[in-house]
Amino acid sequence: MTAAPLLDLRVRALTWEADGILGLELVRAQGTDPLPAFTAGAHIDLHLPTAAGERVRSYSLLNDAAETHRYCVAVNRDAASTGGSAWIHAALRPGQVLRASAPRNNFPLDDSTAPAVFI
């Protein structure tokens, strides 16, 4: 089984969401084709070009799945980071291109049953 090709995503915006949490808005680096669809609970793997070499880190998608033009994730600055979140907070800038996996969902929500309430 071969892995799906990686997506080239441009950092459209970085936002300070809260103390130690940085929001990333990612769009296609080239073209305007819709991004691969996702469902609630899905995540993408970002391939981060850190000084210590490439690090692959998973981040949950936060935006509405109906938005086919972007992916939004939030990254907590982990004090014990081995290069992923530390690199994002210190070195990532708008306009940079990152490679990413297509979204996947290891625990999809079963909406065929009664409504669920998450607290």
Side-chain angles (χ1 to χ4, degrees):
M1 182 173 172
T2 60
L6 295 176
L7 303 167
D8 289 326
L9 301 176
R10 183 170 311 284
V11 178
R12 182 168 180 247
L14 295 173
T15 54
W16 193 255
E17 302 295 340
D19 189 28
I21 300 176
L22 192 60
L24 283 66
E25 180 182 4
L26 305 165
V27 298
R28 279 202 185 272
Q30 298 289 323
T32 58
D33 289 342
L35 290 166
F38 67 94
T39 57
H43 64 276
I44 57 174
D45 292 337
L46 293 181
H47 294 246
L48 307 172
T50 71
E54 183 178 86
R55 301 276 193 252
V56 179
R57 299 293 184 265
S58 296
Y59 296 100
S60 296
L61 293 169
L62 305 175
N63 55 303
D64 187 329
E67 296 178 323
T68 61
H69 67 287
R70 70 181 187 155
Y71 294 145
C72 295
V73 301
V75 179
N76 179 45
R77 172 61 169 97
D78 184 354
S81 175
T82 59
S85 71
W87 181 85
I88 286 173
H89 279 255
L92 188 63
R93 297 292 178 262
Q96 284 180 263
V97 174
L98 297 175
R99 309 226 52 211
S101 69
R104 66 182 183 283
N105 195 338
N106 294 331
F107 303 101
L109 183 63
D110 178 4
D111 59 2
S112 66
T113 61
V117 176
F118 296 95
I119 300 175

